[in-house]
Amino acid sequence: MRRFPIGLTIAVAAILALALITWKVPLFPSNESPSSVARMQRNCPTHIFASLRILYDHPPIYTEAYSMRDDNGSSTFQYVVRSYAGRQITVKAPPRATYDVSFFFGKLISDDGAWEITDRPPFGNTSVHYTLTTRREEMCRVDQHTVTFTDPEFWARTKLREYDIHLSPTGPLPTVFSGQGIVYRDPRYLKIVDDFRSFGPPEFRNAVARARAEVTK
């Protein structure tokens, strides 16, 4: 009578046991338990911040600053304007405001390309300086991007062409403008500024307009 190999029997039993354990306790569970999710939220809270600061070289306004925050789903936003005379007015989010800063932040990143744009050299109206800062802290990871630029309307409406010239120490001078070059016309800077200025419910935007007019008197 042929006997079943003992080694093969042990191997089959081990495979069956491993399959049973894997079925009962997945190696990579796709769904966290409510307690583990809550613990992760406590240890790695979600914070979102976006700000646009506008600095003026000439009176009457010295600086404007829009800032929006979302801390674990709680949204706040405000506007601060300061004159060269030293007067400062702060406009905060109205009570029970339902505007979602996380949605605004997502639009800045996904639609407006706030993390894709880069610093721009001073062109156009160089007496007004813009600084955009976006920051997200999520799942214990921090992503932040800051860019500076002037005159967003210039970048949105003016076509600039950049040429890459290679000079040879022995050869003739190249024909500079014969190539296509790289064309720069980027509406994203203006779109971002417009989104900050149009953010918030009507009462907030009206209060911002009144504060701005007050410091320019």
Side-chain angles (χ1 to χ4, degrees):
M1 181 181 199
R2 177 179 294 182
R3 301 179 63 185
F4 198 78
I6 297 178
L8 182 59
T9 303
I10 296 175
V12 171
I15 292 173
L16 292 176
L18 178 62
L20 181 62
I21 294 173
T22 304
W23 175 68
K24 289 292 186 179
V25 183
L27 294 178
F28 301 100
S30 57
N31 297 319
E32 296 285 351
S33 66
S35 60
S36 64
V37 172
R39 186 166 56 252
M40 181 177 293
Q41 289 177 345
R42 288 195 302 269
N43 296 336
C44 301
T46 300
H47 299 290
I48 291 173
F49 173 76
S51 71
L52 179 69
R53 185 170 183 264
I54 309 171
L55 183 64
Y56 297 84
D57 287 346
H58 308 295
I61 296 178
Y62 174 66
T63 185
E64 295 179 274
Y66 296 84
S67 60
M68 291 80 170
R69 295 181 180 274
D70 186 281
D71 299 308
N72 278 338
S74 177
S75 295
T76 59
F77 49 93
Q78 69 175 25
Y79 166 84
V80 180
V81 59
R82 182 182 178 188
S83 70
Y84 266 85
R87 185 175 187 185
Q88 179 172 304
I89 301 177
T90 300
V91 180
K92 294 189 177 182
R96 298 177 299 279
T98 59
Y99 271 62
D100 191 350
V101 171
S102 61
F103 178 80
F104 172 79
F105 187 89
K107 185 176 185 299
L108 282 180
I109 304 304
S110 302
D111 298 342
D112 299 350
W115 282 355
E116 300 168 5
I117 62 174
T118 57
D119 294 343
R120 286 299 187 203
F123 278 104
N125 180 7
T126 60
S127 65
V128 183
H129 312 270
Y130 298 81
T131 301
L132 168 70
T133 299
T134 48
R135 175 186 171 92
R136 178 175 61 195
E137 181 179 346
E138 188 175 31
M139 301 294 290
C140 293
R141 174 180 174 178
V142 178
D143 297 299
Q144 180 170 318
H145 188 56
T146 299
V147 294
T148 59
F149 54 94
T150 60
D151 202 341
E153 291 191 10
F154 172 88
W155 294 109
R157 299 188 173 99
T158 305
K159 181 186 290 186
L160 297 180
R161 195 178 295 273
E162 180 181 290
Y163 295 88
D164 188 13
I165 303 172
H166 298 277
L167 298 178
S168 172
T170 58
L173 291 176
T175 303
V176 177
F177 300 110
S178 61
Q180 293 296 319
I182 301 175
V183 176
Y184 290 104
R185 176 183 284 168
D186 198 335
R188 292 177 294 181
Y189 297 88
L190 180 60
K191 197 172 189 313
I192 288 171
V193 172
D194 288 343
D195 283 347
F196 270 93
R197 290 201 179 278
S198 61
F199 178 81
E203 57 266 38
F204 177 77
R205 297 196 305 271
N206 292 338
V208 167
R210 290 193 299 269
R212 198 174 191 277
E214 189 68 24
V215 300
T216 59
K217 290 181 179 179

